[in-house]
Amino acid sequence: SFTKGNIMRLPKKVIASAFACTLLTIVSTAKADPLEPMRLNASELQWVVMPNGVSRAYLSGDDKKSGVYAYLARIPAGFKFQPHWHPDERVVTVISGTMLVGYGEKFDEANMKELPAGGFWTEPAQQPHFTWAKGGGEAVIYVVGRGPSGTTQLTPSAEKK
C-alpha cells in the first residue's frame, strides 16, 4: 500500500524514473496550458475511487484538459485493464507492486512483460495496450501525459477484476 511512510523509502531509481518522465512530458508540451505551482506530501493526497474500482490521486493538471497532467493510480491485486488506447502519449512508472504490460488488440498473457517497482512503460497515442496487477497486492503507478486524454476500449466488457 502507498502511504506517507513508504514514499520516503522509494528506491532512487523509481524517483529518478518518475522525475525523468515528468521532465520529458513538460519539455514536449511547449504549446500546452502552463503548469500551476504545487507541492504535496503523501499525506495530502486525495484519492478518488473511479467507477472501475481503481483509485486515483491527481497530482497536477487535468487529463480532460489541454496540458500536462500527472496522477497516481492504486490498482487492486488481480485487476486487469482489457485492451484499450488513449489519444495522448503517456509514460507510466511502477511505484510499488508489480504490473504486467502488453501491447496489442487482444489480451494475451504470453505477450506481457512483468514490471516491478521502478519499471516503466510508454503508451504511444492510439497504441492498444493492456495491463494486469498480478501478484500478492495492489500496484501503484505514476502516470504522466499531455491532455486532453480519454480511453477507448477495444472489448465490449471494459475492465475486469
Side-chain angles (χ1 to χ4, degrees):
S1 178
F2 190 71
T3 64
K4 180 179 177 182
N6 66 16
I7 194 170
M8 301 310 293
R9 294 187 302 266
L10 290 174
K12 288 182 181 178
K13 69 179 182 177
V14 172
I15 295 169
S17 177
F19 177 75
C21 293
T22 303
L23 184 60
L24 175 67
T25 303
I26 291 170
V27 169
S28 68
T29 58
K31 296 180 182 178
D33 294 341
L35 286 174
E36 295 292 328
M38 181 174 295
R39 296 170 291 184
L40 289 173
N41 289 313
S43 64
E44 297 173 297
L45 297 176
Q46 295 182 15
W47 292 93
V48 176
V49 179
M50 309 305 287
N52 62 7
V54 172
S55 297
R56 283 189 184 180
Y58 290 90
L59 304 174
S60 181
D62 182 341
D63 60 344
K64 303 295 183 235
K65 296 180 180 177
S66 177
V68 175
Y69 63 87
Y71 62 83
L72 292 168
R74 274 189 195 146
I75 303 163
F79 191 90
K80 294 179 181 180
F81 285 98
Q82 296 298 316
H84 65 282
W85 56 266
H86 310 284
D88 60 318
E89 297 176 328
R90 296 176 174 206
V91 179
V92 184
T93 303
V94 181
I95 301 298
S96 65
T98 300
M99 293 295 296
L100 274 67
V101 179
Y103 296 101
E105 296 182 2
K106 180 181 176 190
F107 194 99
D108 178 8
E109 186 175 357
N111 187 27
M112 300 179 91
K113 182 171 185 170
E114 184 173 304
L115 300 173
F120 86 102
W121 72 90
T122 59
E123 297 175 355
Q126 298 184 358
Q127 170 65 57
H129 59 280
F130 45 93
T131 61
W132 185 4
K134 186 176 181 182
E138 73 177 13
V140 176
I141 60 173
Y142 174 65
V143 180
V144 178
R146 180 181 43 211
S149 187
T151 301
T152 299
Q153 296 292 335
L154 298 181
T155 56
S157 58
E159 298 94 11
K160 295 182 180 177
K161 288 188 177 186

